[in-house]
Each structure stands twice: as C-alpha cells, then as structure tokens.
Amino acid sequence: MFSGIVEALGTVAELLVEGPGCRLVVQEPRIAAETKVADSIAVNGCCLTVIDVAGDTFAFQAGPETLQRTNLGDLKQGSKVNLERSLKVGERLGGHFVTGHIDAVGYLADRRDHGEWSFFRFRIPERLSLQMASKGSIAVDGVSLTIVDSEPEMFSVALIPYTLAVTTLGPLRVGDKVNLETDVLAKYVERQLQGMVRRSEG
C-alpha cells in the first residue's frame, strides 16, 4: 500500500528490452541507499518490485501488460518518474490509501496556469467516473489529489506550487498521458451498488 505522497523524482537511467517486457533502471541516490531487492516502489503510481540495487540506481522488470496499460511504456532514458516506497505500519498517513494498481490511463485535456498555481482537467474512460466525486481522492501518476469537479468523461484538480515543483505533474502538457487509480473505497461502494441493482432486477 502507498499514500500518494511522492518521496522523490527519479530519472530513468536505462531501459533494456527483456523478452516481451523491459528492465527499467531508475536513478535516485537517497532512495537507492535505503532500498533492497524485493521492496515495492510505486513508479508513477504503478507498484513495481525491485529486482536489483547498484550504487545510486535500482531496477524493475515491467511486463507487456504493465507497459500497455500504463504510461510506463512511454518512458525514455532521462524521463522523470514519481517515486514512493510502500507504507510502514505505524507511520503517519498523508494522502489516501493507494494500491499501486492502475485502473486506466487518462489524458491532460486542459491546463490553466495562474502564476505558480495550476488548474488541470483530465479526460478519462467514462466507466471510471462512477468511482469519482467532488472532494474525493484520485491518484494521478501516483500523486494523491483531491477532485474539484467530476463529469462523465472528465475530472479537474487544483495544484499547488509545491506539487507542481516536486512531481512529474508540473511539466505536463495538454495531451500527455497519466496513470489513474481511483479511491479503493469507491470501488467497493460501486461494487455493492451494482450487486443491489442486480438483486432488485432479479
């Protein structure tokens, strides 16, 4: 489990083709120093398992499913990625509960900058809107955000200067892909409601 509070920006040091997938090598000295093989790290919100640690880098293997269903397949050498290590029991929890399992890829549809602050609107698959609500939580590239408005195929967020400065969201341009994970509690509520509807129709 994760919180959606990004710890650091890493840099893609290498992308090596391995069969149908790839080996993703990320450089970030502070996290590398405290990471060991088999640790879970969210990379742009996608939970991956560390397979190697060498110096100031650590490596993951990403299969074809992950590459096709997230924006990790678009990474290149030098790309920046959001990094968060898994939660420790007993620590304070900021953000919200994030599993690291991506629900869909969305696209930045509109960006309005107001000085150092920004207002983003993302286009999403319509099915995800049933798990979203104004003032609810969403993880965008692994960053825990509060939804401002939710529409059938869109949602909006307001971003503070700090978030824009320390995550990959700051450089986003209209049309860029983002990984989306809706609130896990919203998923269970939607599932229960679907069951109630089926029972009432039966």
Side-chain angles (χ1 to χ4, degrees), residues 2-202:
F2 304 90
S3 69
I5 305 299
V6 172
E7 291 186 76
L9 273 176
T11 302
V12 175
E14 285 186 282
L15 274 171
L16 307 170
V17 176
E18 289 189 346
C22 77
R23 176 183 289 242
L24 170 64
V25 182
V26 176
Q27 182 179 36
E28 209 294 315
R30 182 174 60 84
I31 289 185
E34 301 173 2
T35 294
K36 61 184 184 301
V37 171
D39 281 354
S40 293
I41 296 180
V43 180
N44 280 358
C46 184
C47 180
L48 299 176
T49 302
V50 176
I51 62 163
D52 186 42
V53 180
D56 62 356
T57 67
F58 39 98
F60 311 90
Q61 287 173 317
E65 177 84 0
T66 299
L67 298 176
Q68 291 167 13
R69 292 182 176 272
T70 73
N71 65 9
L72 299 189
D74 297 329
L75 295 176
K76 302 184 287 283
Q77 187 172 0
S79 293
K80 296 296 184 181
V81 289
N82 295 324
L83 300 173
E84 182 192 355
R85 291 169 293 180
S86 57
L87 293 174
K88 291 182 180 179
V89 175
E91 290 193 345
R92 291 187 181 92
L93 175 64
H96 70 283
F97 282 119
V98 177
T99 66
H101 302 151
I102 304 304
D103 293 307
V105 169
Y107 300 84
L108 182 60
D110 182 49
R111 173 175 181 157
R112 299 179 189 177
D113 296 319
H114 305 279
E116 296 182 333
W117 303 66
S118 294
F119 184 84
F120 287 4
R121 294 178 75 232
F122 292 98
R123 183 169 297 280
I124 59 171
E126 187 171 356
R127 62 180 173 81
L128 284 193
S129 65
L130 296 175
Q131 300 169 6
M132 296 184 184
S134 177
K135 306 300 185 291
S137 297
I138 182 78
V140 179
D141 272 356
V143 182
S144 175
L145 300 174
T146 300
I147 296 169
V148 175
D149 291 308
S150 178
E151 307 168 38
E153 295 182 352
M154 292 269 196
F155 74 91
S156 61
V157 294
L159 298 176
I160 63 174
Y162 179 80
T163 301
L164 293 167
V166 302
T167 73
T168 59
L169 302 186
L172 280 184
R173 296 176 295 179
V174 170
D176 284 350
K177 295 179 183 178
V178 291
N179 295 328
L180 300 173
E181 183 188 336
T182 58
D183 190 346
V184 65
L185 298 178
K187 292 182 175 70
Y188 287 116
V189 170
E190 184 193 15
R191 183 75 171 180
Q192 287 182 326
L193 291 174
Q194 288 174 344
M196 292 170 63
V197 169
R198 283 196 296 269
R199 286 194 294 273
S200 66
E201 291 175 345

